[in-house]
Amino acid sequence: MMWIELGVVLLSIFLGARLGGVAIGFAGGLGVMVLALLGVEPGNIPWDVILIIMSVISAIAAMQMAGGMDYLVHLAERMMRRHPDKITLVAPLITYFMTLLAGTGHTAFSTLPVIAQVAKEQQIRPSRPLSVSVVASQIAITASPVSAAMVFFASIMEPRGVSYLELLGICITSTLAAVILTSFVANHLGCELKDDPVYQQRLANGEIKLPDQSQIEIKPGAKFSVMIFVIAIMAVMAYATAISPTIGLITDPTLSRDQAIISLMLTAALAITMVCKLDAEQIVTAATFRSGMSACICVMGVAWLGDTFVEANLDAIKHTASSLLSAYPWMLAVVLFFAAMLLYSQAATTKALLPAALALGVAPVTAVASFAAVSALFVLPTYPTLLAAVEMDDTGSTRIGKAVFNHPFMIPGLLAISLAVAFGFAIGSVVL
């Protein structure tokens, strides 16, 4: 029966991935229903992850409506134009830190047009900075102090002796080092722009857009909205550290970490709305709000489906996987990689598989080091930020090949995750 149930899970995910977007969440619901008809007890819906995403996205959407995102993009553009010849290194660092700050990779949407434009002006192949920037925005989720994936992972690692600060320290150091090294490698991928036949053809046909030098208008409350959001993130980190058993400043907290994040982010959204005098009804129209709520549906359906399958077959999975993972700990990263490729969500992959991996007796250092592998959302070229990068590059250098998997995000993505996992094992073995 386990193989039949696995078939239902894979078919549901495949159907959702084919339809794209929020449909992967819908397909997860279908899979749970089919498994229930086969006599499988439905698993747990990851409400904690969903509520964290909703609260963080609410604050980000308020910040966007106040002009905070435009202000951050303005700062990013100034930095990229200050060092245009180093765009392949600077751009990924910008998308990395924006995701680290916001807890969602969708912040990369706003910077992709600037990256493509600056690269084109410098006659640098746009696929180089664009590909690494998209990968950096995905892998930074596993280092962000407010991402749903990190918050959930921290909650299951602390009982195993890994503090919140230790986890952040290892994940930020390993993923940032991986992104920087990947940027240097990506600077040599593909032919030069002037030698690309697709670019030459588009240039001859007049399909290349002229650079847009229009300035972004910064709203009066933009800086205040960013400041409020940053203060909220610092408060989250301070509180999570204070209630950590290793620090023990607050031994009997009234609010759990999840509740603190949710309440602080909603309070930040309220403060931005009041200070910047926003129309609260307009916040739900923000692009980040729509994408965030879509992510909630995806996580709900897919993580629920994954938990249903894992809980129903935990004994069989333990029997099969425990000896393999004991002999080859790095195999956990491979499993997480392929799961994330199908689940399309770091939070959903973390929620569905890492508790089961720890139940198998996987060492804390192995779990922490392998965590970056849940960022393999670039393999199938259908993820929103990946598609946006393809659309933004009118030179044609960032294109998806006929074989589907031969796209410019594959090598940087594989390299970044491999390096992050390797660095995670090296740093984790010293720290933990």
Side-chain angles (χ1 to χ4, degrees), residues 212-430:
D212 181 11
Q213 299 294 341
S214 59
Q215 296 294 314
I216 298 174
E217 183 181 348
I218 306 300
K219 295 180 181 179
K223 294 181 182 179
F224 286 110
S225 68
V226 173
M227 183 178 68
I228 292 169
F229 188 75
V230 170
I231 290 172
I233 290 176
M234 291 173 65
V236 165
M237 292 181 65
Y239 184 78
T241 303
I243 66 172
S244 171
T246 351
I247 305 297
L249 292 177
I250 303 175
T251 53
D252 188 20
T254 307
L255 291 173
S256 67
R257 184 192 290 107
D258 292 0
Q259 291 169 337
I261 289 176
I262 293 167
S263 58
L264 280 167
M265 285 296 142
L266 291 177
T267 301
L270 176 65
I272 292 170
T273 303
M274 293 175 65
V275 171
C276 302
K277 299 177 181 178
L278 302 179
D279 181 355
E281 293 183 358
Q282 293 299 311
I283 293 175
V284 297
T285 65
T288 48
F289 188 88
R290 292 196 301 270
S291 63
M293 294 309 112
S294 172
C296 286
I297 301 291
C298 292
V299 170
M300 179 173 66
V302 170
W304 189 20
L305 176 60
D307 190 78
T308 299
F309 173 75
V310 169
E311 285 298 318
N313 299 281
L314 190 55
D315 291 337
I317 293 171
K318 280 183 178 180
H319 178 72
T320 307
S322 56
S323 56
L324 180 65
L325 290 176
S326 297
Y328 308 102
W330 53 267
M331 282 297 294
L332 176 60
V334 176
V335 172
L336 293 175
F337 180 93
F338 283 103
M341 181 182 81
L342 296 172
L343 296 180
Y344 259 37
S345 165
Q346 292 95 334
T349 307
T350 303
K351 182 78 177 181
L353 293 181
L354 278 168
L358 291 169
L360 294 173
V362 167
V365 66
T366 300
V368 173
S370 303
F371 183 42
V374 303
S375 302
L377 313 184
F378 56 84
V379 179
L380 298 174
T382 52
Y383 197 74
T385 47
L386 187 153
L387 291 175
V390 174
E391 290 298 318
M392 298 298 177
D393 182 12
D394 60 0
T395 68
S397 69
T398 314
R399 55 185 181 268
I400 299 168
K402 292 181 180 178
V404 181
F405 292 101
N406 57 334
H407 53 73
F409 306 89
M410 185 65 80
I411 294 176
L414 289 171
L415 181 60
I417 286 181
S418 300
L419 288 171
V421 171
F423 289 145
F425 273 108
I427 300 168
S429 61
V430 174

Side-chain angles (χ1 to χ4, degrees), residues 3-17:
W3 295 107
I4 295 174
E5 292 162 12
L6 179 61
V8 171
V9 172
L10 295 177
L11 284 173
S12 299
I13 292 171
F14 177 75
L15 175 62

